[in-house]
């Protein structure tokens, strides 16, 4: 077999196993060094230590030594994909900095630092990629070949984050999870090739302002923020699982993307104030909608009717009802709903068999004129799931002929 074939085989193994093949025979001695992806995944070992309430220093040293040994022996000029996944923090800054320098020197395209469930997070450094311009000794954070960046449990300052975007012209995807420094995120055209942006679990973020970008997908989870989107004409997928400071302006905040969206997911536990219907824009190209909105208003179905009316080409609809009061306006909501000729699949999640749950199912099924399948997913929180399933089967009596009912 050629070296190229052997490298393909080694690429399917964990790095430590791939390196171990060097002892099989002379033919294998240096093959692993041609790997273009180095994934150091110590998740299982770290999790095992967490389960016994401690991660021994010897285990952490073992992981660090393994990574050091590999990068010291590696002599290929480029690494396409470099990933670190283990429980490390700012106490390990020096060694993590060395790993990053190794990756950058080898023109890394996909960089992931996942430092797991550690407090006292490691700070993404500014000194690694310093270019000193004689005139002003300006310090530039640059990853010129980077296309994908994932940072989990890694702190990044606003200044470094902005420099990364400006000085990484090929960057296409950025994912940031659980950091402490960023409070205001503003990206205004400086990331020319950025198409995918994810931000999750960062309670310190107050606002996200994105404009003049070619984003295709945007995901925001676990935040309480003001969201501002403008001039993002190619956005097709939008996932919002956050607490809005002003929920009633939610649709106004995303209205600039309404024409291009094909997939929209909104999850809000307790919107402040009453649900507002008039501010919902038209989503003419939306094909898939996931909705989880709680609230104490008895106008929940009218709110839902407004959303469905705004999505005339919707094909798949999933809803997680979190109402805190009975639904009492099904007829009024049904009368206000325009027939949807394209909706084929409906899924109701966390179904608890309450009257309001049945009213919701009845409303959706009876107003989706082209419906083919309805899926009722029983809530895991129900103590008597069989009773809830039995009540869910009552939906059979109100569904139109030809609609498949699936209860799970």
């Amino acid at each position: 077999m050629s070296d190229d074939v052997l490298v393909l085989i080694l690429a399917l193994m964990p790095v430590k196993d791939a390196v171990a093949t060097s002892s099989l025979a002379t033919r294998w001695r240096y093959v692993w060094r041609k790997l273009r992806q180095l994934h150091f995944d110590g998740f299982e070992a770290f999790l095992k230590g967490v389960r016994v309430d401690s991660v021994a220093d010897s285990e952490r040293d073992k992981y660090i030594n393994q990574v050091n040994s590999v990068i010291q022996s590696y002599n290929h000029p480029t690494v396409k994909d470099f990933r670190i996944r283990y429980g490390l923090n700012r106490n390990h800054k020096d060694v993590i900095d060395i790993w990053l320098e190794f990756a950058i020197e080898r023109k890394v395209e996909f960089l992931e630092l996942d430092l797991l469930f550690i407090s006292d997070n490691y700070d993404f450094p500014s000194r690694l990629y310093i270019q000193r311009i004689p005139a002003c000794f300006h310090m530039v954070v640059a990853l010129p070949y980077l296309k994908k960046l994932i940072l989990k449990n890694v702190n990044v300052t606003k200044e470094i984050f902005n420099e990364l975007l400006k000085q990484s012209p090929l960057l296409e995807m950025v994912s940031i999870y659980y950091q402490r420094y960023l409070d205001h995120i503003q990206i205004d055209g400086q990331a020319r090739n950025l198409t995918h942006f994810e931000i999750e679990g960062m309670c310190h973020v107050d606002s996200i302002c994105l404009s003049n970008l070619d984003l295709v997908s945007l995901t925001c989870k676990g935040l309480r923020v003001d969201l501002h989107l403008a001039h993002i004409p190619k956005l097709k997928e939008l996932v919002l699982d956050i607490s809005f400071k002003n929920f009633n302006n939610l649709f106004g905040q995303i209205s600039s993307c309404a024409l291009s969206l094909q997939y929209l997911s909104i999850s809000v536990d307790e919107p402040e104030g009453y649900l507002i219907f008039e501010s919902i824009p038209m989503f003419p190209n939306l094909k898939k909608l996931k909705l989880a909105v709680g609230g104490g208003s008895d106008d929940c179905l009218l709110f839902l009717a407004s959303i469905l009316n705004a999505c005339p080409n919707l094909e798949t609809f999933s809803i997680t009802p979190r109402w805190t009061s009975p639904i009492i306006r099904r007829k009024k909501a049904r009368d206000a709903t325009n027939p949807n000729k394209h909706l084929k699949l409906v899924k109701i999640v966390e179904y608890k068999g309450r009257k309001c749950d049945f009213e919701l199912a009845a409303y959706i099924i009876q107003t989706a004129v082209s419906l083919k399948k309805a899926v009722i997913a029983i809530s895991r929180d129900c103590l008597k799931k069989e009773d809830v399933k039995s009540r869910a089967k009552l939906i059979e009596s109100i569904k139109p002929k030809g609609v498949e009912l699936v209860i799970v």
Side-chain angles (χ1 to χ4, degrees):
M1 290 187 288
S2 67
D3 280 4
D4 290 342
V5 174
L6 296 180
V7 170
L8 289 175
I9 295 173
L10 296 183
L12 301 175
M13 302 179 181
V15 170
K16 64 178 182 179
D17 295 337
V19 174
T21 62
S22 62
S23 62
L24 293 177
T26 303
R27 175 74 177 81
W28 288 82
R29 183 170 298 172
Y30 302 112
V31 175
W32 74 267
R33 296 183 182 181
K34 297 183 179 181
L35 287 171
R36 297 289 306 283
Q37 61 278 343
L38 299 177
H39 298 177
F40 300 96
D41 191 345
F43 175 78
E44 293 296 335
F46 179 75
L47 188 61
K48 182 178 179 180
V50 170
R51 286 172 181 157
V52 296
D53 297 325
S54 67
V55 179
D57 289 341
S58 59
E59 290 298 318
R60 186 171 278 113
D61 290 343
K62 181 179 178 180
Y63 177 86
I64 292 173
N65 291 335
Q66 175 198 335
V67 178
N68 286 339
S69 176
V70 170
I71 67 175
Q72 288 167 7
S73 301
Y74 190 86
N75 59 5
H76 197 282
T78 60
V79 173
K80 184 176 182 179
D81 188 340
F82 185 79
R83 307 187 198 186
I84 296 293
R85 197 180 188 208
Y86 197 80
L88 302 170
N89 59 23
R90 66 178 56 191
N91 293 329
H92 308 97
K93 176 177 174 55
D94 290 342
V95 69
I96 298 174
D97 286 355
I98 291 172
W99 297 344
L100 289 177
E101 288 173 352
F102 163 82
I104 298 305
E105 287 173 0
R106 282 161 176 78
K107 303 177 181 180
V108 66
E109 296 180 16
F110 185 175
L111 175 62
E112 177 177 353
L113 282 183
D114 182 358
L115 303 186
L116 301 178
F117 319 109
I118 291 295
S119 58
D120 197 21
N121 291 355
Y122 165 80
D123 295 344
F124 198 89
S126 61
R127 69 175 180 82
L128 281 177
Y129 323 115
I130 295 176
Q131 300 173 357
R132 293 194 177 277
I133 302 173
C136 58
F137 295 100
H138 179 60
M139 299 174 64
V140 178
V141 183
L143 292 84
Y145 300 95
L146 195 66
K147 295 181 179 180
K148 298 181 180 180
L149 175 65
I150 299 177
L151 300 177
K152 298 184 178 181
N153 298 288
V154 174
N155 290 332
V156 186
T157 66
K158 180 167 59 177
E159 292 75 20
I160 291 177
F161 181 67
N162 289 336
E163 284 297 311
L164 281 171
L165 295 177
K166 291 178 183 177
Q167 304 300 330
S168 305
L170 302 180
L171 197 59
E172 299 172 357
M173 187 269 278
V174 174
S175 295
I176 303 178
Y177 301 76
Y178 306 104
Q179 68 81 55
R180 298 181 180 180
Y181 293 164
L182 290 174
D183 51 2
H184 300 283
I185 296 175
Q186 183 168 357
I187 308 176
D188 184 5
Q190 68 264 49
R192 296 185 297 275
N193 289 303
L194 189 65
T195 56
H196 303 274
F197 184 50
E198 300 178 359
I199 183 167
E200 181 173 343
M202 303 196 317
C203 57
H204 299 280
V205 177
D206 293 321
S207 66
I208 299 176
C209 302
L210 308 177
S211 61
N212 301 305
L213 297 170
D214 286 336
L215 278 181
V216 175
S217 71
L218 170 63
T219 298
C220 302
K221 294 184 177 181
L223 314 175
R224 180 174 175 81
V225 298
D226 282 326
L227 180 67
H228 302 278
L229 306 178
H231 307 296
I232 308 180
K234 298 181 180 180
L235 192 65
K236 294 182 179 180
E237 299 183 4
L238 178 59
V239 177
L240 302 174
D241 186 354
I242 59 184
S243 297
F244 293 93
K245 291 185 175 180
N246 185 4
F247 173 79
N248 289 333
N249 192 36
L250 162 63
F251 290 99
Q253 294 175 60
I254 66 174
S255 61
S256 64
C257 308
L259 292 179
S260 61
L261 283 178
Q262 297 180 14
Y263 172 69
L264 175 62
S265 176
I266 299 176
S267 180
V268 183
D269 282 332
E270 296 181 0
E272 298 177 2
Y274 290 96
L275 302 172
I276 304 298
F277 317 134
E278 292 80 6
S279 63
I280 300 176
M282 291 298 294
F283 296 93
N285 294 303
L286 199 69
K287 299 293 191 296
K288 186 175 182 180
L289 174 64
K290 293 182 68 176
L291 189 64
V293 178
S297 170
D298 61 9
D299 287 337
C300 293
L301 284 189
L302 290 176
F303 171 70
L304 184 56
S306 298
I307 292 180
L308 294 178
N309 286 344
C311 308
N313 293 301
L314 194 64
E315 297 175 358
T316 301
F317 178 47
S318 174
I319 183 167
T320 302
R322 295 173 179 170
W323 322 129
T324 58
S325 67
I327 294 172
I328 62 174
R329 300 192 183 186
R330 176 157 61 99
K331 184 179 185 303
K332 187 174 181 179
R334 188 170 63 245
D335 292 342
T337 303
N338 299 325
N340 191 307
K341 299 179 180 180
H342 302 280
L343 186 56
K344 303 292 193 301
L345 173 62
V346 168
K347 185 174 182 179
I348 301 178
V349 185
E350 296 183 16
Y351 192 89
K352 297 181 179 180
R354 303 168 298 180
K355 181 180 178 181
C356 58
D357 295 330
F358 180 83
E359 292 285 330
L360 173 67
Y363 160 70
I364 297 175
I365 290 173
Q366 292 175 354
T367 55
V369 297
S370 300
L371 191 65
K372 299 297 182 184
K373 185 175 182 179
V375 179
I376 308 298
I378 305 300
S379 173
R380 296 180 180 179
D381 296 334
C382 294
L383 298 178
K384 297 181 179 180
K385 292 185 179 180
E386 292 305 317
D387 291 345
V388 176
K389 284 185 178 181
S390 178
R391 276 176 272 167
K393 290 178 181 179
L394 295 174
I395 297 172
E396 285 278 4
S397 63
I398 52 94
K399 73 174 182 65
K401 186 177 180 180
V403 175
E404 179 187 3
L405 178 64
V406 178
I407 301 173
V408 294

